[in-house]
């Protein structure tokens, strides 16, 4: 497999990270990295080939859990923390349980809630390098047998099964996400 060299930037603020990510183009992709679980899988499959990675883990304060008014989770809070934080467990049991049942202990230690919500489809076609390169037809029979995670490409809606386990609990709790960057600055959107 060919190796792709890329630049690495340790971001120190959300604004800096958003500015760097805004420079991304199709030819020179700039991609955020949190725990790296999904990102590295996609890079190893050759589905993503960043020109530059922006490491978010060096931004201070994004790993905080605040239970003062409702619940506020920084984007870098890990699934393990959501599972084991006593306040979250006492007051948002469905969320704690969902985070604690996702993946494996090793993955939960590294996986962040931001990256979890933004992970790509688990669709066999999307994940398999055969789909993206020569030999795409070979996937046909396997895809017909196991189709519960399939995504539909090239349509104007995002037609896929969302892979995140915590997302279901967050939507049930009517959670919102604060998004940074973009032309109009930061904004809050309902997770649903
Ligand atoms: C064996 C295995 C089993 C799994 N089982 C489950 C399961 O049962 N349930 C489940 O929910 N998940 C499961 N997963 C998926 C796993 O939980 C996710 O891959 C992980 O949560 C991603 O988080 P991360 O911090 O590593 O994200 P990364 O891999 O770092 O990032 C994922 C994506 O989000 C983007 N991103 C990350 N953070 C931000 C941010 N703050 N702002 C903007 N963009 C961002 C990245 O650019 C990338 O595109 C499994 C994974 C494995 C390997």
């Amino acid at each position: 497999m060919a190796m792709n060299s890329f630049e690495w930037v340790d971001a120190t603020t959300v604004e800096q990270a958003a500015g760097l990510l805004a420079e991304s183009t199709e030819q020179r992709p700039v991609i955020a990295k949190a725990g790296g679980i999904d990102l590295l899988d996609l890079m190893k499959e050759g589905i993503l080939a960043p020109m530059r990675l922006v490491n978010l883990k060096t931004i201070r304060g994004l790993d905080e859990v605040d239970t003062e008014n409702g619940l506020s989770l920084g984007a870098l809070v890990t699934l393990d923390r959501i599972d084991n934080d006593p306040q979250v467990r006492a007051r948002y049991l469905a969320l704690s349980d969902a985070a604690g049942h996702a993946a494996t202990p090793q993955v939960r230690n590294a996986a962040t809630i931001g990256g979890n919500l933004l992970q790509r489809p688990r669709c066999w076609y999307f994940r398999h390098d055969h789909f993206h390169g020569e030999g795409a037809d070979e996937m046909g029979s396997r895809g017909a047998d196991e189709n519960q995670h399939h995504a539909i490409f090239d349509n104007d809606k995002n037609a896929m099964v969302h892979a995140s386990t915590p997302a279901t609990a967050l939507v049930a709790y009517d959670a919102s996400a604060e998004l940074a960057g973009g032309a109009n600055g930061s904004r809050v959107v309902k997770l649903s």
Side-chain angles (χ1 to χ4, degrees):
M1 179 187 280
M3 299 287 284
N4 178 44
S5 65
F6 54 84
E7 297 170 11
W8 176 282
V9 182
D10 285 330
T12 52
T13 65
V14 170
E15 292 72 25
Q16 182 203 7
L20 289 165
L21 291 165
E23 293 170 7
S24 184
T25 62
E26 203 171 323
Q27 290 73 31
R28 298 174 64 78
V30 183
I31 300 178
K33 188 205 74 73
I37 301 277
D38 196 35
L39 180 64
L40 297 192
D41 271 354
L42 295 169
M43 287 171 66
K44 283 188 267 184
E45 288 291 353
I47 296 164
L48 288 180
M51 183 275 295
R52 177 182 284 166
L53 281 188
V54 179
N55 180 25
L56 305 178
K57 301 245 346 176
T58 40
I59 302 176
R60 283 202 190 157
L62 280 187
D63 59 352
E64 286 170 11
V65 174
D66 184 353
T67 52
E68 278 289 301
N69 293 305
L71 174 64
S72 171
L73 298 171
L76 294 180
V77 173
T78 63
L79 300 190
D80 178 70
R81 173 92 189 269
I82 296 171
D83 179 23
N84 289 305
D85 185 285
Q87 289 287 332
V88 181
R89 181 146 280 282
R91 292 161 60 188
Y92 300 91
L93 182 60
L95 177 60
S96 261
D97 273 354
H101 284 106
T104 63
Q106 291 91 336
V107 170
R108 293 196 294 273
N109 279 334
T112 67
I113 189 65
N116 181 271
L117 294 173
L118 290 165
Q119 65 180 292
R120 301 304 305 277
R122 293 281 142 195
C123 173
W124 308 125
Y125 290 104
F126 174 74
R127 294 272 164 179
H128 203 287
D129 55 0
H130 281 193
F131 178 78
H132 299 268
E134 299 289 318
D137 293 348
E138 292 168 24
M139 291 297 291
S141 58
R142 183 177 168 197
D145 293 340
E146 298 185 56
N147 58 15
Q148 71 269 35
H149 299 300
H150 278 177
I152 300 169
F153 303 113
D154 288 333
N155 64 350
D156 60 354
K157 295 192 186 66
N158 201 0
M160 67 178 195
V161 179
H162 198 289
S164 164
T165 312
T168 308
L170 286 169
V171 169
Y173 285 123
D174 199 24
S176 298
E178 186 179 347
L179 310 179
N184 302 317
S186 69
R187 62 207 185 281
V188 175
V189 294
K190 287 265 189 202
L191 216 59
S192 57

